[in-house]
Amino acid sequence: MAGKILVRGARQLLTLQGPKESRRGAVLNALDIIHDGAVLLQEGRVLTMGPSRRVENLAVSRDAREINAAGRVVMPGFVDSRARILVPRPVPFPTEDAAGDVEFRRALKELTALPSRSLAARAQSVLAGMSRHGTTTVSAATIPAVERSANLKMLRVFASLHGRPLDVIPTFYGAPFVPPEFAGDQAAYVESLCKEQIPVIARRNLARFVEVNCGVFQQELAQRYLEIARNLGLLMRVHAGASPWAARLAVALNAASVTVEDIAHEEIASLAKSRTIALLSPAFRSERSAGDSSPARALIDAGAAVALASSFGLERGATYNMQMVMSLACSEMGMSPAEAISAATINGAYAVGCGDQCGSLEPGKRADLLVLNVQDYREVAHPFGVNHVHMVVKNGAIVYQEGEVAGCSGR
């Protein structure tokens, strides 16, 4: 169990304290910054935070191990609300139809055929990379597999990796496309998932979420898949794809999130009145032309809650570096650095059902935080693809610390 740690001297301590719900509208810009701040961690949780002088002088701080943030920015760890930690190597992203891409399907089959130990080793390397770039919680989606045994194996691997060192929140993405074995019969495939796989997954508590691709499946089938999962106690996620009705379905079923690229005005209005969070994946390499606009500003201005996700390994998700995702959100989607930080932390946490546990630095929450090599939080969003992480603390324990480069001195 982690002991007591005092992180002090932060030039900016971003606590993101606020309402006990996902942030939207102007509140997305409210980071609750404490200048020359300190945060006291005890037994894996946040005990208190405030100006360094006050927190240092508390009696409870006297025997704490000190970490001098040395003028850096300290903030909550990133919550990547949609990613895949099992990916084929090399990643043969399908060019058009995933179900019909022979190379893609061969790579998936080879991957799912690996023993659990090999799958865990591959996933662990991805989790380590995520951790070095500041992610402390990730929602991990399964890769497509028709066989129930392969899906159960992947979910058991996720369970074995939880807390090593990231919190891994499992999503059964059983319906990304219709496999060739069920070509021309969507209904039969969905029925097999609903009768043969989802009940077993729910009974064994192997997943928290199920996800469906509404760009592929007919509305009534997508709805049946989600409702069966909901009735068995699983939470729901929707990938909109090119569907014109996906967001409305997500809202109607009270889904936790819907991943969107393009969205109609009436669907934006529907999301703004709901608790469903719109997931944005700036690093997702879609077929949209470069000049096409993102719905991010329209969603935020309408009052919808938005979160940022890497979508790494999903479709054409190209990176697990959430700092790069934030840079793209600011440069390509018109989000402010503060909005991007809120969307990559507290709203990401609510999108994966753990907003009461992580995503902000508040008393009682998990001690998940980053010490960054910047003096102002706005610097995080501007350099493209740079890793600013100096230190990662997960559940009150240091899990990553930047090392020195031979021949260089200073930061």
Side-chain angles (χ1 to χ4, degrees), residues 98-173:
D101 191 304
V102 175
E103 182 187 0
F104 181 66
R105 288 189 288 106
R106 182 186 298 117
L108 295 181
K109 189 171 183 178
E110 290 174 355
L111 183 60
T112 55
L114 291 174
S116 296
R117 183 174 297 180
S118 298
L119 285 176
R122 287 198 175 197
Q124 188 74 69
S125 68
V126 173
L127 292 175
M130 288 179 165
S131 183
R132 286 192 292 269
H133 288 82
T135 296
T136 51
T137 300
V138 60
S139 177
T142 56
I143 66 172
V146 175
E147 301 83 3
R148 185 178 73 178
S149 59
N151 287 317
L152 296 179
K153 179 168 63 175
M154 284 185 279
L155 291 168
R156 285 194 296 266
V157 166
F158 292 172
S160 73
L161 294 173
H162 181 68
R164 299 175 48 197
L166 280 66
D167 288 326
V168 178
I169 300 173
T171 293
F172 175 53
Y173 195 8

Side-chain angles (χ1 to χ4, degrees), residues 107-301:
L108 295 181
K109 189 171 183 178
E110 290 174 355
L111 183 60
T112 55
L114 291 174
S116 296
R117 183 174 297 180
S118 298
L119 285 176
R122 287 198 175 197
Q124 188 74 69
S125 68
V126 173
L127 292 175
M130 288 179 165
S131 183
R132 286 192 292 269
H133 288 82
T135 296
T136 51
T137 300
V138 60
S139 177
T142 56
I143 66 172
V146 175
E147 301 83 3
R148 185 178 73 178
S149 59
N151 287 317
L152 296 179
K153 179 168 63 175
M154 284 185 279
L155 291 168
R156 285 194 296 266
V157 166
F158 292 172
S160 73
L161 294 173
H162 181 68
R164 299 175 48 197
L166 280 66
D167 288 326
V168 178
I169 300 173
T171 293
F172 175 53
Y173 195 8
F177 54 75
V178 182
E181 294 89 332
F182 290 86
D185 198 348
Q186 286 192 11
Y189 181 54
V190 170
E191 203 61 22
S192 73
L193 293 172
C194 292
K195 289 185 175 180
E196 300 170 14
Q197 301 210 38
I198 294 176
V200 177
I201 290 168
R203 187 169 62 249
R204 299 183 185 179
N205 198 28
L206 289 174
R208 186 179 298 182
F209 293 92
V210 298
E211 183 172 353
V212 64
N213 184 352
C214 291
V216 171
F217 289 87
Q218 299 165 12
Q219 182 171 353
E220 60 272 20
L221 295 178
Q223 183 168 341
R224 172 162 170 73
Y225 172 84
L226 294 171
E227 287 179 337
I228 289 292
R230 182 184 62 183
N231 293 341
L232 292 170
L234 295 166
L235 301 177
M236 300 164 290
R237 313 188 73 174
V238 170
H239 176 62
S243 165
W245 45 262
R248 288 196 301 275
L249 177 65
V251 169
L253 296 180
N254 197 28
S257 66
V258 55
T259 306
V260 297
E261 287 184 85
D262 301 299
I263 184 169
H265 176 75
E266 57 271 19
E267 290 206 310
I268 291 176
S270 178
L271 279 169
K273 297 174 184 176
S274 76
R275 297 175 64 88
T276 299
I277 297 176
L279 292 191
L280 304 171
S281 301
F284 175 83
R285 301 293 85 188
S286 74
E287 299 298 325
R288 271 190 331 204
S289 7
D292 287 353
S293 60
S294 157
R297 277 267 51 98
L299 285 161
I300 293 170
D301 294 343

Side-chain angles (χ1 to χ4, degrees), residues 39-83:
V39 56
L40 181 62
L41 316 175
Q42 184 173 31
E43 303 303 329
R45 297 279 169 171
V46 176
L47 188 61
T48 190
M49 60 277 173
S52 288
R53 181 172 295 181
R54 181 184 71 78
V55 178
E56 290 169 0
N57 289 330
L58 294 174
V60 71
S61 299
R62 290 174 188 165
D63 58 344
R65 174 188 175 183
E66 288 194 11
I67 294 174
N68 186 358
R72 295 177 167 96
V73 167
V74 175
M75 63 171 283
F78 296 122
V79 179
D80 190 345
S81 47
R82 187 174 187 261

Side-chain angles (χ1 to χ4, degrees), residues 345-402:
T345 55
I346 186 64
N347 275 13
Y350 276 104
V352 298
C354 57
D356 61 335
Q357 292 294 313
C358 63
S360 62
L361 299 177
E362 303 182 69
K365 283 196 169 184
R366 294 177 195 150
D368 297 352
L369 62 81
L370 312 177
V371 181
L372 303 176
N373 286 323
V374 296
Q375 296 186 4
D376 187 286
Y377 73 87
R378 285 164 286 211
E379 297 175 45
V380 179
H382 291 301
F384 188 75
V386 174
N387 187 11
H388 298 286
V389 174
H390 172 68
M391 180 182 291
V392 178
V393 177
K394 174 64 186 169
N395 289 327
I398 298 171
V399 297
Y400 169 74
Q401 187 163 5
E402 177 188 30

